[in-house]
Amino acid sequence: MKMAEDLELEFLPMEKPEFARNPLPYFAAAREKHPWLATCNFGYVVHQYDAMKDLLIQDDKMDTALDTIVMLMGAQDTPWGRLTANTINAQSGERHKQMRDLLMPLFSPRQANQNRLLMQEVITKLLDDSVPKGAFDFEEVVGYFPIGVLCSMLGAPAEELPRIRSSLEILGRGLSLDPGILSELQVGAQEIDRFGQELVAERRAGKRPEKGGELLDVLIEAADNGGLTERELYDLLIFLFVGGYDTSKNILTLIMYEMINYPEYYRRCAEDISFCEKVAEEALRYQSVANYPRITTEVVTYRDVIFPERTMLFFPVSMSGRDPSAFSDADTFDPERRHGNRHIAFGRGMHICLGQFIARAQIVEGLHLIAQRVKNPRLAGDVAWRPFLGIWGLEGLPIEFDPA
């Protein structure tokens, strides 16, 4: 047995821009030092696929560390700090179960399939508005797709999306552990909170969309019946808005970034939606976007390594699929790959991504229709990368293409 602090481990500068641009060499160096563990400025990094799978399900010994992140950011008793420390992902035990049980039927595989027509309508409208230009920032345009679907499910007016997009953008960076964005996080949290409260007030006053909106009805009914406090109602709305924006948008952007290099795969995506499913699953393995923090609530021993209570651990599932010990030819993008192991892009344990089935359906439906309308995409400028910690991905993807 060894204490984690006594091991010789590679240091990963995960908060640095150069790390976000290309994390792969850093993880390769970490594997040379230790098969599954490294360090960073905020704790330890579990970088092996099998170790992530094993440890992420130990919910009885770890919390999501969101209250610790608020403390590290110096954001206690602030709007963003309160929101982050009280989101559903920060809950555990019976209260967490009650809130997930309320939401699960609304995000089930069946519900995802029932919303496929809605997804097609939203992406078609975006493409109708954008494709004739022959060029656009793909990341910017596609950002309106998943949040447009969620707003339809909630019954929020589509014309309000530009108002809240900047708030969603900054809130998606909240786990990057960058105190320099704290003032923007406060503004974003307050703005999206106002938007949610206005939406609830209008629905209670009898204002309804022509169609959709059942998701908000369920949440309001739960609050009115005592299943949620009023504050929990608004916090859940913020959680849904932020979760429904960043992840699907970032993954779709990364898929387009890869498809530019694989025109044959992209052509097949336009012809065969079942092939889109293969591309989506391979993309989630190859380079996804989530990096999960955890903090131990008791002493944890794993593979003869001891972590004391209150040890911060990071699980970069975004890179878990590139582990050569878990995936053969891990650095090759191959939608026809025969999976021995399955990716863990949506996490594990009680906090596994609630919206994974909606996200999968959106990615597949969006990719299929985009590939039919955006022909022969070419990179039309430089790309930048979001911070690796938190929700990773491209920041902008300028493309040119042949409109169809």
Side-chain angles (χ1 to χ4, degrees), residues 38 135 177 254 269 364 374:
L177 285 165
L254 286 172
C269 286
V364 169
V374 177

Side-chain angles (χ1 to χ4, degrees), residues 31 81 111 128 137 148 175 181 195 197 205 241 259 267 279 308-309 321 331 335 343-344 349 352 401:
R31 286 192 290 270
Q111 193 68 32
D128 287 346
D137 185 329
L175 302 186
I181 65 171
F195 179 73
Q197 293 197 36
F241 280 124
M259 290 297 96
R267 181 188 63 78
V279 168
E309 184 179 352
D331 290 334
H343 68 75
I344 52 172
I352 191 169
F401 53 90

